[in-house]
Amino acid sequence: MPNPRLTGLGSGLFCAAVMTLLGFLDELLFGASLTVYGVLFVPVSLLTALWVRRGELLTAPVVVPIAFAVGLVPVAESGDGLGGRLMGLVTALATEAGWLYGGTLVAGAAVIVRRIRLVRRRAAARNRTST
């Protein structure tokens, strides 16, 4: 499995680009199913949290909800004009909040686990060098 290390900005761009692509694919293949979009968001959130660099771990739980909203644009129902599109986006965000929270929780949990492992490794290395 690839193991890229993305910067904070790179992880945000990666997540937003993938979610936008998945939004367009969802619209094309499944008729803009919000459930399919939400299900696809969770593994993308996990990958974003796993691929961000160690020094920028805290950016992952911040960028995934933004990417969810960005990728939701092609999937959300659109009415007439900008107001209709905006209302469809707000409605989709409200009705799919469970998927949004779930993906953010997955990213946050992965970041916490990675951070705990990093702190333990540093402490073990410090103990080896001091003894």
Side-chain angles (χ1 to χ4, degrees):
M1 180 149 169
N3 194 19
R5 289 294 168 221
L6 302 171
T7 63
L9 177 62
S11 65
L13 291 173
F14 163 76
C15 194
V18 170
M19 290 313 300
T20 302
L21 177 68
L22 289 175
F24 281 117
L25 284 174
D26 179 23
E27 181 183 22
L28 181 69
L29 299 176
F30 301 105
S33 170
L34 292 173
T35 304
V36 170
Y37 180 79
V39 169
L40 293 172
F41 173 66
V42 176
V44 172
S45 298
L46 180 62
L47 283 178
T48 302
L50 292 176
W51 287 352
V52 70
R53 291 185 338 184
R54 287 184 225 152
E56 301 178 26
L57 281 173
L58 296 178
T59 59
V62 174
V63 299
V64 292
I66 297 168
F68 183 87
V70 168
L72 197 59
V73 171
V75 180
E77 290 184 25
S78 60
D80 294 331
L82 180 63
R85 175 148 318 260
L86 190 59
M87 188 54 104
L89 182 63
V90 170
T91 302
L93 282 170
T95 58
E96 300 305 310
W99 290 113
L100 175 61
Y101 293 150
T104 306
L105 181 66
V106 165
V111 163
I112 288 171
V113 168
R114 285 188 62 200
R115 180 70 182 164
I116 289 171
R117 289 180 61 207
L118 177 65
V119 167
R120 285 186 180 168
R121 262 188 273 169
R122 285 182 181 167
R126 207 176 12 221
N127 288 340
R128 280 192 302 256
T129 59
S130 65
T131 57

